Amino acid sequence: MKGEGKMATMSKMKWVGLVGLVLSAFSLFVHFLLARYTEEGISDFQSSVTIFSWRPIFENSDFAKNSPLYRRLWGQVRRLESLHPDANPRGYYADPRSESSGYVFVRIQGGFHEIRNSICDVVVISRLLNATLVIPEIQSTTSSKGISSEFKSFAYLYNEDQFMAALVKDVKVVKTLPQNLKGARRKKKIPSFRVPNSASPYFYLHHVLPVLNKHAVVELVVSEGGCLQAILPPHLEEYQRLRCRVGFHALRFRQEVQELATKILHRLRAPGRPFIAFDPGMTRDALAYHGCAELFQDVHTELIQHKRAWMKKRGIVKGKLSVNSAEQRLNGSCPLMPEEVGILLRAYGYSWDTILYISGGEVFGGQRTLIPLHAMFENTVDRTSLSAAWEMSRIYGREVNIVDTKLRAPPSVVQEKKLGAWKNAGPRPHPLPPPPARPKYPHNIEGWWGWVAESDNEPESTVMELRTNAHKLLWEAIDYLICVEADVFIPGFDRDGKGRPNFASLVMGHRLYQSAASKTFRLDRKEVVKLLEENREHLYQANHTWLTSIRKHLRRSLIDGVIEASSKSKPLSFLSHPAPECSCLRYDPTKPVEASLGVTHSCPKWMDSEIKTKSKDKETEEDSDEDVSSSSGLFFKNIGGNNQSGGGELIKEESQLDDQEELEGAD
C-alpha cells in the first residue's frame, strides 16, 4: 500500500510538471505574438529591449526651439512662406464628357520616378483625347517575375480606388478593358504606339486620336519616363494643374506601404528632434551616363565603364566611352560623395547628434562609401534600422521561395576528349602549346562582378534580381514619403541614368508644392566642388573664411536653387518644379522671389482665415549670413571620439556666438 501511494504521488507530480511546462510554453508563445503584432510594442523603440538597431544618442536632452540657432538650422524659409499649394481649376473646367473617344491602355517601363512621371502624363493625355483611361500596367511588377500574386501591376505600388476616386471629375478611369478588347489585345490586334519622350500635344491629337477614333482603343508603351512635354502651351495651363492633382493627390501608395512609412516617421520623430533626409542619388546608371567612373576604385570603376559601354551601344550615351571624371566633377556633372555632403552639413552648423535619414534603393559603392558620414553623424539611419524584417515582408506579400539554379552547363564531351588527346599526345616540338581553356563556373569567379571580364553584354537578370527590382519600388515609395515630410532635405545628385530629373528632383518638387517654406537645399554642385577643392587638404580643420563661404552658399541655395530649377529641371519634368501653375500667394505678394517664380495668383479666400502673424523674432531669421564659427575646425569636434566629453563647452560657446552674430547681422 505504501509503495502504491508513493507511485500515485509521483504520477501526480509528473502531471503537474507536464501541465506547468505546457502553460509556460503557451505563455511564451503569447508573449511572442504580442511583441510581434501589438502596435505599442512596435512603436516604443526607446525601451531597453528593442527590435531595431538604432538607439539614438544625444549630447543634450534640452533642445531650445525658440533660439535663433534652431530657426537658422530648422526654421522655415521666410521668403517662401507665402507660397501655398493650389491645384484646383481656376476657370471653366468641364467634367469628362459622357461619350468617350475610346480606351487608352498604357504599359509603363522604368524605375520609381519614371513611373510616377509617366502616370501623370497619361492622365493628361487621356483628358486631351477625351478617352477612357485603363489603369496603367507597371511592367516591373508582374507575378511572373517572382513577386506576390496578391498585388498586380499598378496595385503593387499605388492605391487603385483612391486613384479612380480622386480623378472622377477629370477623366474616366476603369480597371480593365472590356472583355472583347481584352481578347484582341492578347492576340495583338489593337494598335500600339511606342511613344517618344516629351511628345507634344500635336503628336497625340494628329497621330493617336485618329487611330483611337477608328479602333476605339490604343495601346501606349512608355519607356522613357515621360510621354508628354513638361512645359505645355499657356492655353493648356489647366492640364498642368491636372498633373499636380494626379502626382500630389491621386497617386497615393497602397495602404500597407503608407502604414509602414507612417510607423517609420513616428519612430524617427519619437526622440522629439527634427531630422534631415539625404538622398545620395549614386546609382550605377547615373554614374555611367555622366562619366563619373573614377570617383571610385578597383572593380567599381570597371563596372561603371562597362555600363557606359552598354549605354553607348544602345545610343543612350552620345559622348565618348572614356571621359575625364575629374573634369566632369568640377563641372558639377557628378554626384557629391556622402562624405562631402556630411562636411557641408557640419560646416553649416548641424551637430554630430543630428538625426540623418539616408534614402534611396541603391548607394553604388556599398556601405563603405557611407562610413565617413556615419563618423560625422552618430544618428545616421535608414529604413532598415527603423523597421523589422517581418514588417518589410508584409508589404511584399506572400512570395514563393525561389532557388536560383542558373548555373553554367558542364564542359561538353568534345571538350573533355580534346583535353585528353592533348595530354596523351606523343613527342611534340618545344615549347608545348597551351592546353584548352578551362571552363569557368560561377563559384570560381572572383565575386559577383566576374562577368565583366567575360562578356561585353550585361548579364540577363535572374528571377531574384527581378524580384529585388520590384522591391526597390516599395523601398523608394517609403523613402519618398519620409523625404517629403522631413524637416530638412538635401540631395547628393538630381539627375538619373538618362540625364533627366531623378527621385530627389521629384521629392524637391513635392516639397515645393506641399510646403514651399520647408528647408530644401538645392546645391550648385559646380560651386560646391570648387569650394571643396580650395580646402581639400584641410576639410576637417576648416578656417573662418571657408566656413563663411560654405554657409553663404547653402543659405543662398534655399532660394536661388528654386529659381534655377525653373529653367533646368522643369523643362524635363514638370513634377520637379510645379510652380507657378500649382501655387498661389497667401499674403504679401510683393516679395521678389515670387516674382522670379512667376507666381501671381492669389490664394482663395478660405485660406486667409489663418494668416500668420509675423513675430519680432522671425524678423531676425533666414537672411543673415554671418553665423560662422570663430575658431576653425570646431564643427568636427566630436568625430571619432567620446561624444559625451571633450570640447562640449567650446561648442556651446560657439553656438552662443553664432546666435549673437545672427542677431547682430539681422539688425
Side-chain angles (χ1 to χ4, degrees), residues 391-539:
E391 288 179 304
M392 296 301 297
S393 297
R394 282 183 63 185
I395 69 171
Y396 302 151
R398 294 180 181 273
E399 294 179 332
V400 296
N401 292 326
I402 295 176
V403 179
D404 212 341
T405 57
K406 194 176 181 181
L407 299 176
R408 302 191 184 191
S412 66
V413 179
V414 176
Q415 285 180 319
E416 290 180 354
K417 285 183 177 179
K418 284 184 178 179
L419 182 60
W422 184 88
K423 288 181 177 179
N424 299 325
R428 55 196 120 182
H430 196 78
L432 296 177
R438 180 173 61 87
K440 292 184 179 179
Y441 296 92
H443 60 271
N444 289 332
I445 298 175
E446 292 292 334
W448 58 271
W449 55 80
W451 52 265
V452 174
E454 294 190 327
S455 173
D456 292 333
N457 297 318
E458 294 281 313
E460 292 183 8
S461 297
T462 63
V463 177
M464 287 301 296
E465 287 170 341
L466 292 170
R467 175 187 280 184
T468 302
N469 289 338
H471 289 177
K472 284 179 181 178
L473 295 178
L474 301 177
W475 302 342
E476 292 188 331
I478 292 169
D479 289 341
Y480 183 86
L481 291 171
I482 292 170
C483 288
V484 168
E485 296 295 330
D487 300 278
V488 174
F489 178 73
I490 184 167
F493 200 48
D494 58 2
R495 290 291 180 267
D496 67 3
K498 294 178 181 175
R500 304 189 184 107
N502 67 352
F503 173 92
S505 298
L506 288 192
V507 169
M508 291 189 284
H510 199 146
R511 289 171 66 88
L512 177 63
Y513 171 80
Q514 178 176 296
S515 54
S518 297
K519 265 193 169 60
T520 304
F521 293 109
R522 294 171 170 86
L523 305 176
D524 181 342
R525 288 185 301 279
K526 186 174 181 179
E527 186 175 342
V528 167
V529 171
K530 181 181 176 182
L531 289 169
L532 291 171
E533 289 301 316
E534 286 176 359
N535 202 41
R536 175 58 59 185
E537 301 299 323
H538 306 284
L539 287 177

Side-chain angles (χ1 to χ4, degrees), residues 322-365:
S322 297
V323 181
N324 188 325
S325 299
E327 287 183 6
Q328 289 290 90
R329 182 174 175 276
L330 289 172
N331 194 39
S333 299
C334 291
L336 294 173
M337 299 298 285
E339 179 184 10
E340 295 171 335
V341 173
I343 289 170
L344 296 178
L345 291 173
R346 291 300 302 271
Y348 191 72
Y350 294 103
S351 62
W352 63 269
D353 59 353
T354 300
I355 300 173
L356 182 65
Y357 181 89
I358 299 177
S359 78
E362 173 191 358
V363 179
F364 189 78

